[in-house]
């Protein structure tokens, strides 16, 4: 099975490589072919800890762990995407950042020989055969914030022999939820599994320190919205501002290419609007976030937050960022992708799901009138999660 995998992987690499190079060139990214074939030399450092974070999402999730461990260890980070590498170089200026080698045995071996790390820590669900198996022959390999979706579990079961080999090569899995624990227990013994909780609870505290001149106004923030969610929120806003004259609506569309569509909708509804890139004052009816990476910082100015992709049948976006800020989070009934987080936060009345716009309007009205006091002490929960990860990682670094 391993020989078949290596043969097919090698074949696909040489077939796909020209496409990969051309696609990234068009996007303005370097493909780093020399790095992927480990065609370089570098000096190793003592106490090097290797983190593999496939892309930007994983780089953000691993941030609190890397920050805690960088005090005692030199940090080596590998990424899968050119965009992820650019991001890692900016976010982790103290780390050595490389594109991950192609998943071939001799390349993985050469990479480990160059850097001589004390352990490999893989974020979430990057279960590449040689990356895991070959590295585990030399050093401990751990998985943090391990995520196994139902579709991934079905795929792993279809190829049980090879995934059992991969997964049993890990020294330990530090998983985010009971569901992930259950899926992994099909392949590996329970003594390799530790439930620590979702690292996103910790990493979601990262945000830009930005300024917004709220001037005492009540604010609804609609984050990561899709069509037709803006229309629903605008209707609710127009109805509620009759009761709350100083009410303002902030819209942060998931995709900035929809800005013209949203502006046209606001013009049709005869609402004034302004853009984040133009002002930091909430003088217009609607304030549009037309920037990238600022939404998490905007949430702290909200009285009520709606998170998108939940009326539109997308499955939901990040409800942790506003919850970490202690804001009441309102969503629709399409939350399949964030179900575990929804159920956890629901226990503390930190998130509310509604079936339609009328329900949402009544709920937002109540939250604006009565105010909101969070029942979950996020800071204590964050520390508990992070300590679990650090403690279990450090057991393998002695």
């Amino acid at each position: 099975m391993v020989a078949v995998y290596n043969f097919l992987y090698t074949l696909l690499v040489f077939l796909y490589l020209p496409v990969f190079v051309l696609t990234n060139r068009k996007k303005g990214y370097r493909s780093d072919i020399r790095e992927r074939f480990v065609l370089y030399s570098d000096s190793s450092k003592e106490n090097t800890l290797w983190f593999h974070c496939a892309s930007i999402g994983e780089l953000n999730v691993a941030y609190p762990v890397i920050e805690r461990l960088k005090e005692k260890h030199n940090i080596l980070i590998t990424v899968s995407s050119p965009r992820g590498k650019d991001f890692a170089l900016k976010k982790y200026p103290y780390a050595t950042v490389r594109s991950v080698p192609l998943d071939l045995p001799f390349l993985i071996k050469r990479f480990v020989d160059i850097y001589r790390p004390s352990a490999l820590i893989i974020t979430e669900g990057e279960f590449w055969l040689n990356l895991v198996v070959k590295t585990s022959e030399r050093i401990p390999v751990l998985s943090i914030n391990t995520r196994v979706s139902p579709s991934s579990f079905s795929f792993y079961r279809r190829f049980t022999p090879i995934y059992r080999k991969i997964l049993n090569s890990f020294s330990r899995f530090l998983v985010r939820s009971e569901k992930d624990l259950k899926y992994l227990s099909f392949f590996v013994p329970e003594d390799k599994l530790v439930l620590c909780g979702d690292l996103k609870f910790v990493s979601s505290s990262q945000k830009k320190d930005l300024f917004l001149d709220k001037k005492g106004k009540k604010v609804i923030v609609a984050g990561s919205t899709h069509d037709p969610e803006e229309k629903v929120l605008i209707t609710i806003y127009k109805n509620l501002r009759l009761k709350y004259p100083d009410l303002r609506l902030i819209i942060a569309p998931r995709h900035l290419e929809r800005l013209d569509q949203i502006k046209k909708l606001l013009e049709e509804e005869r609402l004034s609007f302004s853009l984040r890139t133009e002002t930091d004052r909430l003088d217009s009816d609607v304030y549009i976030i037309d920037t990238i990476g600022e939404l998490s910082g905007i949430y702290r100015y909200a009285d009520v937050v709606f998170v998108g992709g939940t009326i539109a049948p997308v499955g939901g976006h990040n409800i942790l960022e506003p919850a970490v800020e202690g804001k009441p989070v309102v969503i629709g009934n399409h939350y399949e992708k964030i179900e575990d987080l929804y159920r956890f936060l629901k226990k503390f009345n930190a998130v509310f799901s509604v079936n339609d716009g009328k329900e949402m309007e009544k709920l937002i009205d109540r939250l604006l009138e009565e105010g909101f006091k969070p029942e979950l002490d996020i800071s204590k929960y964050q520390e508990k999660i992070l300590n679990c990860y650090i403690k279990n990682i450090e057991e393998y670094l002695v």
Side-chain angles (χ1 to χ4, degrees), residues 72-322:
K72 296 180 181 178
H73 303 273
N74 290 299
I75 303 299
L76 167 66
I77 298 174
T78 54
V79 294
S80 298
S81 69
R83 185 165 170 255
K85 186 179 180 186
D86 286 353
F87 181 83
L89 288 166
K90 293 174 184 175
K91 192 173 186 70
Y92 301 99
Y94 51 80
T96 299
V97 179
R98 291 289 191 183
S99 293
V100 69
L102 294 169
D103 197 43
L104 295 168
F106 67 98
L107 296 180
I108 300 298
K109 181 179 181 299
R110 174 166 167 73
F111 186 87
V112 174
D113 285 341
I114 289 174
Y115 291 106
R116 302 185 181 279
S118 53
L120 166 60
I121 300 170
I122 297 177
T123 309
E124 299 203 336
E126 287 285 289
F127 302 146
W128 291 96
L129 175 64
N130 292 305
L131 177 66
V132 175
V133 176
K134 290 301 174 184
T135 302
S136 71
E137 293 172 0
R138 308 277 293 280
I139 57 175
V141 179
L142 296 90
S143 174
I144 62 171
N145 214 53
T146 316
R147 174 174 53 88
V148 182
S149 67
S151 58
S152 295
F153 178 66
S154 298
F155 181 79
Y156 300 160
R157 287 196 67 174
R158 210 175 306 150
F159 300 96
T160 293
I162 196 162
Y163 276 100
R164 185 156 277 152
K165 182 178 181 63
I166 294 171
L167 297 174
N168 277 281
S169 295
F170 281 90
S171 298
R172 186 164 290 177
F173 292 90
L174 308 178
V175 307
R176 59 176 193 156
S177 73
E178 291 279 2
K179 187 181 290 184
D180 301 304
L181 201 73
K182 180 182 176 182
Y183 286 149
L184 285 166
S185 65
F186 179 83
F187 300 97
V188 300
E190 289 186 6
D191 62 2
K192 286 193 173 189
L193 306 175
V194 179
L195 177 59
C196 282
D198 198 331
L199 263 176
K200 288 182 180 177
F201 271 101
V202 188
S203 60
S204 288
S205 292
Q206 304 171 54
K207 54 186 177 293
K208 288 188 176 181
D209 186 17
L210 52 84
F211 175 73
L212 188 62
D213 192 358
K214 184 177 176 178
K215 288 188 175 178
K217 297 180 175 69
K218 290 186 180 293
V219 174
I220 301 170
V221 174
S224 299
T225 56
H226 296 255
D227 184 27
E229 292 169 336
E230 295 90 4
K231 175 68 174 175
V232 174
L233 269 295
I234 287 168
T235 300
I236 291 171
Y237 167 70
K238 290 179 74 174
N239 291 338
L240 289 179
R241 73 172 180 170
L242 298 175
K243 182 176 179 179
Y244 307 99
D246 281 341
L247 185 63
R248 295 293 183 266
L249 175 63
I250 296 178
I251 296 176
R254 182 69 175 180
H255 303 293
L256 291 183
E257 55 265 30
R258 294 187 54 247
L259 283 174
D260 288 341
Q261 178 187 345
I262 295 167
K263 290 177 187 177
K264 183 179 179 182
L265 176 61
L266 291 168
E267 288 168 355
E268 290 171 353
E269 296 288 341
R270 297 184 179 180
L271 291 172
S272 62
F273 62 87
S274 54
L275 304 177
R276 173 68 183 164
T277 51
E278 295 174 346
T279 180
D280 58 13
R281 298 163 60 93
L282 292 183
D283 292 330
S284 304
D285 297 318
V286 180
Y287 188 69
I288 303 174
I289 307 301
D290 59 339
T291 55
I292 294 173
E294 290 196 320
L295 178 58
S296 60
I298 292 291
Y299 281 137
R300 70 187 176 101
Y301 295 98
D303 292 280
V304 179
V305 171
F306 166 77
V307 175
T310 56
I311 293 175
V314 174
H317 294 302
N318 193 338
I319 59 176
L320 273 175
E321 288 179 346

Side-chain angles (χ1 to χ4, degrees), residues 11-22:
L11 186 63
L12 286 171
V13 162
F14 285 101
L15 288 174
Y16 178 68
L17 208 55
V19 177
F20 177 78
V21 172
L22 288 172

